[in-house]
Amino acid sequence: MRGLRRPRLPQLRGLRVRLVLAFTLVAAVTAATTGALTFREARTGVLQQSQDAVIQQLRAQVGRLAPDLAFPPGQGELGRLAAEVARADPSGSWRVLVTYGGLSATSVPGDPFRELTPALRGSVESGMATVFQRVAVGDRTALVVGMSVTFAEAPAKGVYASGIHVFLTVPQTTERAYVDALVTAAERAAVPALTLAVLLALLAARGVLRPVRALRRATRSIAEGHLDTRLAVDGSDELADLSHTFNETAAALEKSVAELRGMEARARRFAADVSHELRTPLAAMSAVTDVLDEDAARLDPDTATAVRLISEETVKLARLVDDLMEISRFDAGAAVPHLDEIDLAESLRRTLDARAWTGQVDGDLPAPGTLRGRVDPRRLDVVVANLVGNALRHGARPVTLRLHEAGESGGARVAVIEVLDSGPGIPDDVLPYVFERFYKSDAARTRTEGSGLGLAITAENVRVHGGTVRAANRPEGGAVFTVRLPLPADEPPREDQW
């Protein structure tokens, strides 16, 4: 019986799926990393450029207006300075705060200038460097720049802080739009990148899996018996090395199998030739032992015992030669059944009668004419005789021969022949081997006297009929051999028992 195969369903463990996922994952990570780095650099560049431009423009405007500023300035002077600095931006987005001591003025009257942080104010008031800070107010981001207004002294003394501080806030709406545009562009570029990665993965998987599929087909072909299967070796990569190794293995396997088949054929031919050559001398020996058996009663006891021993061993040897000839025909494929439609129950009764087993075997057989089958009568006789003889020799009475009809899945009908004995049964470690040639379980069957080929011949005869034979142990004790032979499809079922 062939083993059940698990249906092939798409699984994440498949090589194609794993390759596609790996390519997609690498592409996604690469695209995300590249996009993040590009976005960061672009964002930094945009903000840096905007920041530098604002600071440079603020310095230039303050440097231009500071020399004309009255010092110390009043509230009005601070207001005018704030307004003039704010006018440096043509778009009008600058908001300026100018402070001097406790005075302050803004370019937009009443502007609270919330963007200015204490940290930025402290940095400006404590030094003369221009400082800046990006501040988020609500959902808006603004650039805040602070600087001190300085005046030049004598050339040897340098510059000094005037105490006037200018603070500028610029909304970064334009820069934010640029950054949002970069994010949108990165998102739009990710989809084509992933699509391209999947396509490349499919192409790569196809290239990788092509030799793998070829290897699978070649392996399956060899498993089916086509040992001359070889793979085409292209290139010099790892897959080419694998194909080359497969070809070497297949060649070595083909050579080994050819040698084994040759040895097996020679062994079969040898057994057949030996059996054939022994038939003629055995026939002569049998004739001589028959004559000696007739005169054994007139011989002295020792000679008579020797004659009977020779006669018994000659009979066993003749049976062994006949079995070897039968096995040789099976091995050579020359065992062709000659089918005939017969009454199966009547055939089993004739087998028991011909061997004088009627009084030793209980027959549980249907009435004559109720169960007919298309079989080879001679081979069926051999099957039943071997199984019943085996039960009588190795089992214990009562021995029962049973015949009945049974149904199979799919509506097929079979004739079931069972031979049951009441002996010790068959050891579990022996059951798998009872139909092998020359196998004897002497430890369990102490009165073994056959050739070891009877059950093997039985199995072969059942096989040529398209049936099955099985050995098992009964729960109540004893062994049971069950033969199942197919019946013609048009045979009506019968249930009468005899």
Side-chain angles (χ1 to χ4, degrees):
M1 181 181 293
R2 300 180 59 185
L4 296 177
R5 289 187 176 181
R6 186 175 297 177
R8 292 183 177 179
L9 298 176
Q11 299 180 353
L12 292 180
R13 293 177 294 177
L15 185 57
R16 177 192 292 273
V17 176
R18 283 186 288 174
L19 284 174
V20 173
L21 289 179
F23 269 83
T24 305
L25 180 61
V26 170
V29 172
T30 303
T33 304
T34 303
L37 294 176
T38 303
F39 169 74
R40 188 180 69 177
E41 294 299 323
R43 178 177 178 272
T44 302
V46 169
L47 296 178
Q48 184 71 36
Q49 181 180 4
S50 173
Q51 162 194 310
D52 293 345
V54 169
I55 292 175
Q56 183 178 4
Q57 190 174 1
L58 175 62
R59 283 176 176 174
Q61 185 73 350
V62 172
R64 183 177 65 83
L65 296 175
D68 298 332
L69 183 65
F71 190 82
Q75 183 71 32
E77 290 294 327
L78 295 180
R80 283 191 294 273
L81 177 60
E84 290 296 329
V85 172
R87 291 193 187 96
D89 178 30
S91 64
S93 61
W94 283 15
R95 292 166 40 235
V96 180
L97 168 66
V98 180
T99 65
Y100 177 75
L103 301 177
S104 65
T106 60
S107 60
V108 178
D111 188 354
F113 221 91
R114 294 189 181 91
E115 293 87 353
L116 181 60
T117 63
L120 181 65
R121 180 188 288 272
S123 298
V124 173
E125 292 177 350
S126 62
M128 293 186 293
T130 303
V131 296
F132 66 91
Q133 185 179 26
R134 293 188 185 89
V135 180
V137 180
D139 59 348
R140 298 180 297 106
T141 302
L143 174 65
V144 181
V145 182
M147 64 178 295
S148 295
V149 178
T150 60
F151 293 102
E153 292 185 333
K157 295 183 179 181
V159 296
Y160 68 93
S162 64
I164 302 173
H165 307 296
V166 179
F167 299 95
L168 166 68
T169 178
V170 182
Q172 294 190 305
T173 306
T174 304
E175 291 76 4
R176 180 66 179 271
Y178 288 156
V179 172
D180 292 342
L182 287 174
V183 173
T184 303
E187 292 176 349
R188 292 178 178 176
V191 175
L194 291 178
T195 304
L196 180 60
V198 171
L199 293 177
L200 291 176
L202 291 174
L203 292 176
R206 181 179 181 183
V208 172
L209 293 179
R210 186 182 298 113
V212 175
R213 291 195 192 98
L215 179 61
R216 182 182 62 185
R217 289 193 296 268
T219 304
R220 185 177 300 167
S221 178
I222 287 184
E224 293 173 353
H226 306 291
L227 300 181
D228 57 343
T229 303
R230 298 293 183 272
L231 289 173
V233 181
D234 298 325
S236 58
D237 55 5
E238 289 80 1
L239 291 175
D241 291 340
L242 178 61
S243 299
H244 183 69
T245 303
F246 174 85
N247 290 341
E248 291 179 344
T249 304
L253 178 63
E254 184 180 16
K255 181 180 178 181
S256 299
V257 172
E259 293 176 354
L260 290 174
R261 287 175 176 172
M263 294 171 61
E264 183 181 8
R266 289 191 294 271
R268 290 174 180 175
R269 187 165 55 251
F270 174 78
D273 292 343
V274 170
S275 302
H276 181 75
E277 294 298 328
L278 286 176
R279 291 178 70 94
T280 300
L282 275 176
M285 291 174 62
S286 298
V288 172
T289 55
D290 290 341
V291 174
L292 291 176
D293 283 340
E294 293 176 358
D295 296 336
R298 296 190 294 271
L299 300 176
D300 60 89
D302 293 338
T303 305
T305 300
V307 166
R308 292 189 183 95
L309 179 60
I310 292 174
S311 178
E312 291 174 0
E313 295 302 323
T314 301
V315 171
K316 292 180 181 178
L317 183 59
R319 186 182 303 118
L320 174 61
V321 170
D322 290 339
D323 289 345
L324 286 173
M325 291 292 293
E326 185 72 6
I327 285 290
S328 299
R329 282 191 286 269
F330 282 119
D331 291 341
V336 179
H338 300 284
L339 302 179
D340 190 13
E341 187 174 343
I342 63 172
D343 186 338
L344 297 180
E346 185 62 28
S347 176
L348 269 57
R349 292 189 185 95
R350 284 198 297 267
T351 298
L352 299 179
D353 293 341
R355 292 163 178 81
W357 287 341
T358 304
Q360 304 178 49
V361 178
D362 298 332
D364 183 6
L365 306 174
T370 59
L371 184 57
R372 301 179 66 82
R374 187 169 178 79
V375 298
D376 185 326
R378 183 187 71 82
R379 296 187 184 279
L380 179 61
D381 177 75
V382 171
V383 169
V384 176
N386 282 343
L387 294 180
V388 174
N390 185 74
L392 291 173
R393 286 193 300 271
H394 305 305
R397 298 182 185 179
V399 174
T400 303
L401 174 62
R402 182 181 299 163
L403 172 66
H404 64 277
E405 181 182 333
E408 293 281 324
S409 59
R413 299 166 47 249
V414 294
V416 180
I417 302 172
E418 294 178 319
V419 177
L420 308 92
D421 65 57
S422 304
I426 306 173
D428 292 338
D429 59 336
V430 175
L431 275 174
Y433 311 106
V434 294
F435 294 105
E436 291 188 1
R437 301 175 184 182
F438 296 107
Y439 184 84
K440 298 182 181 180
S441 177
D442 290 336
R445 310 280 191 159
T446 57
R447 295 183 294 158
T448 296
E449 58 185 41
S451 64
L453 291 174
L455 291 180
I457 292 175
T458 296
E460 293 290 348
N461 278 313
V462 173
R463 182 184 60 79
V464 299
H465 282 90
T468 60
V469 59
R470 185 175 65 91
N473 289 315
R474 299 192 304 168
E476 61 270 23
V480 54
F481 287 82
T482 305
V483 176
R484 303 176 74 88
L485 300 175
L487 292 174
D490 57 349
E491 179 72 18
R494 304 292 179 89
E495 303 241 344
D496 297 337
Q497 297 289 323
W498 170 62

